[in-house]
């Protein structure tokens, strides 16, 4: 039987709230199972960019990563945010190590091709090239990778990359060796049938129900990419995916009575 590995992704809204983030770090540190932490970028890059005169550009809610923006997110995501999380875990005697996809070639990627939109230096993960053996060396030596949402193209260029996609891709690759539980933690209690009702959590979501709710426009548009990544992971060998509140991390590991289980 494969050993269990927990891959936990925290969203930007958790990172943007220092008190919320510290509470999450405390909970994460208390866990004893094999685990990897993947974090989003939050709004800090935009705030620091404004101070530096780097104007954020978006199309359909997605950041356009020109060269100044690429340098900015590399500094903020891979530097400031990543190392603050690592420092917080290290202060709690948790053996965390901060990485990006470029470190040890952990997450190979390609620059997104220009089609109708030029997203700039944005990366699409090459999931078949993720080196399972290198990740295993961290995990089996009880080191906890803390992964910033950055990859590289193999030609010396850093790439801004969606953290949900990184989480799903790494989970699929490592399911070759582990029974992977992928947990998306954010500020909501789970997938909500009614975005205005925090108690309308859908406890179990399968493809049929998902398609039905989408056709009825009952799901918040922002949650759809996360759910799509979840189903992609399940259909490619990941044992279990949970979407839930970062403050409920403990119960996602134990009684699993919180959040939304994807099957």
């Amino acid at each position: 039987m494969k050993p269990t590995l927990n891959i936990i992704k925290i969203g930007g809204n958790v990172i943007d709230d220092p008190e919320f983030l510290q509470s999450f770090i405390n909970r994460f540190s208390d866990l004893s199972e094999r685990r990897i932490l993947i974090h989003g970028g939050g709004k800090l890059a935009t705030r620091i960019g404004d101070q530096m005169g780097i104007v954020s550009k978006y199309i359909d809610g997605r950041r356009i990563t020109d060269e100044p923006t690429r340098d900015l997110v590399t500094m903020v995501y891979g530097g400031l945010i990543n190392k603050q999380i690592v420092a917080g875990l290290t202060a709690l005697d948790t053996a965390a190590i901060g990485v990006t996809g470029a470190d040890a070639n952990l997450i190979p990627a390609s620059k997104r091709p220009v089609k109708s939109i030029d997203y700039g230096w944005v990366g699409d993960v090459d999931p078949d090239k993720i080196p399972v053996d290198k990740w295993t060396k961290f995990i089996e030596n009880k080191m906890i990778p803390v992964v910033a949402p950055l990859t590289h193209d193999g030609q010396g260029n850093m790439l801004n990359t969606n953290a949900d996609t990184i989480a799903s891709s790494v989970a699929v690759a490592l399911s070759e060796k582990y029974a992977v539980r992928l947990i998306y933690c954010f500020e909501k209690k789970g997938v909500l049938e009614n975005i205005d009702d925090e108690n309308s959590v859908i406890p179990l979501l399968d493809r049929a129900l998902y398609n039905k709710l989408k056709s009825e426009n009952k799901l918040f548009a922002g949650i759809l990419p996360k759910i799509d990544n979840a189903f992609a992971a399940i259909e490619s060998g990941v044992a279990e995916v949970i979407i839930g509140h970062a403050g409920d991390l403990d119960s996602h590991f134990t009684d699993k009575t919180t959040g939304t289980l994807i099957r």
Side-chain angles (χ1 to χ4, degrees), residues 144-183:
I144 300 171
V146 178
V147 187
L150 298 163
T151 59
H152 75 121
D153 65 358
Q155 300 176 47
N157 299 302
M158 295 300 294
L159 300 169
N160 187 15
T161 306
N162 181 272
D164 285 349
T165 302
I166 288 177
S168 177
S169 299
V170 172
V172 169
L174 293 180
S175 66
E176 169 189 313
K177 185 175 179 64
Y178 299 96
V180 177
R181 180 192 294 128
L182 174 58
I183 305 174

Short mmCIF file of all heavy atoms in Angstrom, two decimals, residues 144-183:
data_model
loop_
_atom_site.label_atom_id
_atom_site.label_comp_id
_atom_site.label_asym_id
_atom_site.label_seq_id
_atom_site.Cartn_x
_atom_site.Cartn_y
_atom_site.Cartn_z
N ILE A 144 9.94 19.65 4.50
CA ILE A 144 8.63 20.04 3.96
C ILE A 144 8.82 21.15 2.93
O ILE A 144 9.13 22.30 3.28
CB ILE A 144 7.71 20.52 5.10
CG1 ILE A 144 7.51 19.39 6.11
CG2 ILE A 144 6.37 20.99 4.54
CD1 ILE A 144 6.80 19.83 7.37
N PRO A 145 8.66 20.84 1.64
CA PRO A 145 8.77 21.89 0.64
C PRO A 145 7.63 22.91 0.77
O PRO A 145 6.47 22.54 0.91
CB PRO A 145 8.65 21.13 -0.69
CG PRO A 145 8.98 19.71 -0.36
CD PRO A 145 8.45 19.52 1.04
N VAL A 146 7.99 24.18 0.74
CA VAL A 146 7.03 25.28 0.70
C VAL A 146 7.22 25.93 -0.68
O VAL A 146 8.26 26.52 -0.95
CB VAL A 146 7.26 26.30 1.83
CG1 VAL A 146 6.26 27.46 1.72
CG2 VAL A 146 7.14 25.61 3.19
N VAL A 147 6.22 25.78 -1.53
CA VAL A 147 6.39 26.06 -2.96
C VAL A 147 5.73 27.37 -3.36
O VAL A 147 4.53 27.56 -3.17
CB VAL A 147 5.80 24.90 -3.80
CG1 VAL A 147 6.13 25.10 -5.28
CG2 VAL A 147 6.31 23.55 -3.30
N ALA A 148 6.53 28.27 -3.93
CA ALA A 148 6.01 29.54 -4.46
C ALA A 148 5.44 29.30 -5.86
O ALA A 148 5.89 28.41 -6.59
CB ALA A 148 7.13 30.58 -4.51
N PRO A 149 4.46 30.10 -6.29
CA PRO A 149 3.81 29.90 -7.59
C PRO A 149 4.63 30.42 -8.77
O PRO A 149 4.22 31.31 -9.51
CB PRO A 149 2.49 30.65 -7.44
CG PRO A 149 2.81 31.77 -6.50
CD PRO A 149 3.81 31.21 -5.53
N LEU A 150 5.82 29.83 -8.92
CA LEU A 150 6.75 30.21 -9.98
C LEU A 150 7.35 28.95 -10.58
O LEU A 150 7.69 28.01 -9.85
CB LEU A 150 7.89 31.07 -9.42
CG LEU A 150 7.50 32.42 -8.79
CD1 LEU A 150 8.63 32.94 -7.93
CD2 LEU A 150 7.14 33.43 -9.87
N THR A 151 7.49 28.93 -11.90
CA THR A 151 8.18 27.84 -12.58
C THR A 151 9.28 28.45 -13.44
O THR A 151 9.64 29.61 -13.30
CB THR A 151 7.19 27.01 -13.43
OG1 THR A 151 6.56 27.88 -14.39
CG2 THR A 151 6.12 26.38 -12.54
N HIS A 152 9.83 27.63 -14.36
CA HIS A 152 10.87 28.15 -15.26
C HIS A 152 10.79 27.39 -16.57
O HIS A 152 10.19 26.31 -16.65
CB HIS A 152 12.26 28.00 -14.62
CG HIS A 152 12.77 26.59 -14.63
ND1 HIS A 152 13.94 26.22 -15.25
CD2 HIS A 152 12.25 25.45 -14.12
CE1 HIS A 152 14.12 24.92 -15.12
NE2 HIS A 152 13.12 24.43 -14.43
N ASP A 153 11.39 27.98 -17.59
CA ASP A 153 11.26 27.39 -18.93
C ASP A 153 12.47 26.58 -19.36
O ASP A 153 12.55 26.14 -20.51
CB ASP A 153 10.97 28.48 -19.97
CG ASP A 153 12.13 29.47 -20.13
OD1 ASP A 153 13.15 29.34 -19.42
OD2 ASP A 153 12.01 30.38 -20.99
N GLY A 154 13.43 26.38 -18.46
CA GLY A 154 14.62 25.62 -18.80
C GLY A 154 15.65 26.41 -19.59
O GLY A 154 16.70 25.90 -19.95
N GLN A 155 15.35 27.68 -19.85
CA GLN A 155 16.27 28.54 -20.60
C GLN A 155 16.67 29.76 -19.79
O GLN A 155 17.09 30.78 -20.34
CB GLN A 155 15.61 28.96 -21.91
CG GLN A 155 15.25 27.79 -22.81
CD GLN A 155 14.51 28.23 -24.07
OE1 GLN A 155 14.92 29.18 -24.74
NE2 GLN A 155 13.43 27.55 -24.38
N GLY A 156 16.49 29.65 -18.47
CA GLY A 156 16.91 30.74 -17.59
C GLY A 156 15.84 31.76 -17.30
O GLY A 156 16.12 32.78 -16.66
N ASN A 157 14.60 31.51 -17.73
CA ASN A 157 13.52 32.47 -17.54
C ASN A 157 12.52 31.98 -16.50
O ASN A 157 12.00 30.86 -16.61
CB ASN A 157 12.79 32.72 -18.86
CG ASN A 157 13.71 33.28 -19.92
OD1 ASN A 157 14.31 34.33 -19.75
ND2 ASN A 157 13.82 32.57 -21.04
N MET A 158 12.23 32.81 -15.51
CA MET A 158 11.20 32.50 -14.54
C MET A 158 9.83 32.75 -15.15
O MET A 158 9.65 33.64 -16.00
CB MET A 158 11.37 33.34 -13.28
CG MET A 158 12.65 33.07 -12.51
SD MET A 158 12.79 31.36 -11.93
CE MET A 158 11.44 31.28 -10.74
N LEU A 159 8.83 31.96 -14.69
CA LEU A 159 7.49 32.06 -15.23
C LEU A 159 6.47 32.14 -14.09
O LEU A 159 6.51 31.34 -13.16
CB LEU A 159 7.17 30.83 -16.09
CG LEU A 159 8.09 30.59 -17.29
CD1 LEU A 159 7.83 29.21 -17.88
CD2 LEU A 159 7.90 31.67 -18.35
N ASN A 160 5.59 33.12 -14.17
CA ASN A 160 4.49 33.26 -13.22
C ASN A 160 3.46 32.15 -13.51
O ASN A 160 3.04 31.99 -14.66
CB ASN A 160 3.85 34.64 -13.40
CG ASN A 160 2.80 34.95 -12.35
OD1 ASN A 160 2.71 34.29 -11.33
ND2 ASN A 160 2.02 35.99 -12.61
N THR A 161 3.08 31.37 -12.52
CA THR A 161 2.27 30.18 -12.77
C THR A 161 1.17 30.04 -11.74
O THR A 161 1.39 30.27 -10.54
CB THR A 161 3.17 28.92 -12.77
OG1 THR A 161 4.24 29.12 -13.70
CG2 THR A 161 2.40 27.68 -13.17
N ASN A 162 -0.01 29.63 -12.18
CA ASN A 162 -1.16 29.48 -11.29
C ASN A 162 -0.88 28.44 -10.20
O ASN A 162 -0.51 27.30 -10.51
CB ASN A 162 -2.37 29.07 -12.13
CG ASN A 162 -3.61 28.91 -11.30
OD1 ASN A 162 -3.88 27.82 -10.77
ND2 ASN A 162 -4.40 29.96 -11.18
N ALA A 163 -1.09 28.83 -8.95
CA ALA A 163 -0.76 27.94 -7.82
C ALA A 163 -1.67 26.73 -7.75
O ALA A 163 -1.24 25.63 -7.37
CB ALA A 163 -0.82 28.73 -6.51
N ASP A 164 -2.96 26.89 -8.12
CA ASP A 164 -3.87 25.74 -8.13
C ASP A 164 -3.39 24.69 -9.13
O ASP A 164 -3.45 23.48 -8.87
CB ASP A 164 -5.29 26.18 -8.50
CG ASP A 164 -6.00 26.90 -7.38
OD1 ASP A 164 -5.49 26.89 -6.25
OD2 ASP A 164 -7.07 27.48 -7.63
N THR A 165 -2.92 25.15 -10.28
CA THR A 165 -2.44 24.23 -11.30
C THR A 165 -1.16 23.54 -10.86
O THR A 165 -0.97 22.34 -11.09
CB THR A 165 -2.19 24.98 -12.63
OG1 THR A 165 -3.40 25.62 -13.03
CG2 THR A 165 -1.73 24.04 -13.71
N ILE A 166 -0.27 24.28 -10.21
CA ILE A 166 0.95 23.67 -9.66
C ILE A 166 0.57 22.57 -8.68
O ILE A 166 1.10 21.46 -8.72
CB ILE A 166 1.84 24.72 -8.98
CG1 ILE A 166 2.51 25.61 -10.03
CG2 ILE A 166 2.90 24.06 -8.09
CD1 ILE A 166 3.35 26.73 -9.46
N ALA A 167 -0.37 22.87 -7.78
CA ALA A 167 -0.78 21.89 -6.77
C ALA A 167 -1.33 20.63 -7.43
O ALA A 167 -0.97 19.50 -7.06
CB ALA A 167 -1.82 22.51 -5.84
N SER A 168 -2.20 20.80 -8.42
CA SER A 168 -2.79 19.66 -9.11
C SER A 168 -1.72 18.86 -9.86
O SER A 168 -1.70 17.62 -9.80
CB SER A 168 -3.86 20.15 -10.09
OG SER A 168 -4.40 19.09 -10.84
N SER A 169 -0.82 19.54 -10.55
CA SER A 169 0.21 18.86 -11.35
C SER A 169 1.18 18.08 -10.47
O SER A 169 1.55 16.94 -10.78
CB SER A 169 0.98 19.89 -12.18
OG SER A 169 0.14 20.56 -13.08
N VAL A 170 1.62 18.69 -9.37
CA VAL A 170 2.53 18.00 -8.45
C VAL A 170 1.83 16.80 -7.80
O VAL A 170 2.41 15.73 -7.64
CB VAL A 170 3.08 18.98 -7.39
CG1 VAL A 170 3.86 18.24 -6.30
CG2 VAL A 170 3.97 20.04 -8.04
N ALA A 171 0.55 16.99 -7.45
CA ALA A 171 -0.21 15.90 -6.85
C ALA A 171 -0.31 14.71 -7.80
O ALA A 171 -0.13 13.56 -7.39
CB ALA A 171 -1.60 16.39 -6.45
N VAL A 172 -0.60 14.98 -9.06
CA VAL A 172 -0.72 13.90 -10.05
C VAL A 172 0.63 13.18 -10.22
O VAL A 172 0.69 11.94 -10.23
CB VAL A 172 -1.21 14.45 -11.40
CG1 VAL A 172 -1.08 13.40 -12.49
CG2 VAL A 172 -2.67 14.90 -11.27
N ALA A 173 1.70 13.95 -10.34
CA ALA A 173 3.03 13.34 -10.53
C ALA A 173 3.41 12.45 -9.35
O ALA A 173 3.89 11.33 -9.53
CB ALA A 173 4.07 14.43 -10.74
N LEU A 174 3.16 12.93 -8.13
CA LEU A 174 3.57 12.19 -6.94
C LEU A 174 2.62 11.05 -6.59
O LEU A 174 2.94 10.21 -5.75
CB LEU A 174 3.73 13.14 -5.75
CG LEU A 174 4.89 14.13 -5.89
CD1 LEU A 174 4.98 15.05 -4.68
CD2 LEU A 174 6.21 13.41 -6.09
N SER A 175 1.46 10.99 -7.26
CA SER A 175 0.55 9.87 -7.03
C SER A 175 1.13 8.57 -7.57
O SER A 175 0.63 7.48 -7.27
CB SER A 175 -0.82 10.14 -7.66
OG SER A 175 -0.73 10.21 -9.07
N GLU A 176 2.20 8.68 -8.35
CA GLU A 176 2.92 7.50 -8.82
C GLU A 176 3.52 6.72 -7.64
O GLU A 176 3.59 5.50 -7.65
CB GLU A 176 4.03 7.96 -9.77
CG GLU A 176 5.06 6.92 -10.16
CD GLU A 176 6.22 7.54 -10.93
OE1 GLU A 176 5.97 8.32 -11.87
OE2 GLU A 176 7.37 7.24 -10.59
N LYS A 177 3.89 7.47 -6.59
CA LYS A 177 4.57 6.86 -5.44
C LYS A 177 3.74 6.90 -4.16
O LYS A 177 3.91 6.06 -3.27
CB LYS A 177 5.91 7.56 -5.20
CG LYS A 177 6.75 6.93 -4.10
CD LYS A 177 8.10 7.57 -4.00
CE LYS A 177 8.94 6.96 -2.87
NZ LYS A 177 9.25 5.54 -3.11
N TYR A 178 2.82 7.87 -4.06
CA TYR A 178 2.07 8.08 -2.82
C TYR A 178 0.57 8.03 -3.07
O TYR A 178 0.11 8.27 -4.19
CB TYR A 178 2.42 9.44 -2.21
CG TYR A 178 3.87 9.61 -1.84
CD1 TYR A 178 4.76 10.23 -2.72
CD2 TYR A 178 4.35 9.17 -0.61
CE1 TYR A 178 6.09 10.40 -2.39
CE2 TYR A 178 5.69 9.34 -0.27
CZ TYR A 178 6.56 9.95 -1.17
OH TYR A 178 7.88 10.11 -0.84
N ALA A 179 -0.17 7.75 -1.99
CA ALA A 179 -1.61 7.97 -2.01
C ALA A 179 -1.81 9.44 -1.64
O ALA A 179 -1.70 9.83 -0.47
CB ALA A 179 -2.31 7.07 -0.99
N VAL A 180 -2.04 10.28 -2.64
CA VAL A 180 -2.01 11.73 -2.45
C VAL A 180 -3.39 12.26 -2.08
O VAL A 180 -4.38 11.98 -2.76
CB VAL A 180 -1.50 12.45 -3.71
CG1 VAL A 180 -1.53 13.96 -3.51
CG2 VAL A 180 -0.08 11.99 -4.05
N ARG A 181 -3.41 13.03 -1.01
CA ARG A 181 -4.60 13.80 -0.65
C ARG A 181 -4.28 15.26 -0.94
O ARG A 181 -3.36 15.84 -0.37
CB ARG A 181 -4.93 13.62 0.84
CG ARG A 181 -6.18 14.40 1.26
CD ARG A 181 -6.33 14.45 2.78
NE ARG A 181 -6.59 13.13 3.33
CZ ARG A 181 -5.89 12.59 4.32
NH1 ARG A 181 -4.87 13.23 4.83
NH2 ARG A 181 -6.21 11.41 4.79
N LEU A 182 -5.03 15.86 -1.85
CA LEU A 182 -4.83 17.26 -2.25
C LEU A 182 -5.88 18.11 -1.56
O LEU A 182 -7.09 17.85 -1.69
CB LEU A 182 -4.94 17.38 -3.77
CG LEU A 182 -4.90 18.78 -4.39
CD1 LEU A 182 -3.62 19.52 -4.03
CD2 LEU A 182 -5.06 18.69 -5.91
N ILE A 183 -5.42 19.11 -0.81
CA ILE A 183 -6.34 19.95 -0.04
C ILE A 183 -6.17 21.41 -0.46
O ILE A 183 -5.09 21.99 -0.30
CB ILE A 183 -6.09 19.81 1.48
CG1 ILE A 183 -6.18 18.34 1.90
CG2 ILE A 183 -7.09 20.65 2.27
CD1 ILE A 183 -5.80 18.09 3.35
#
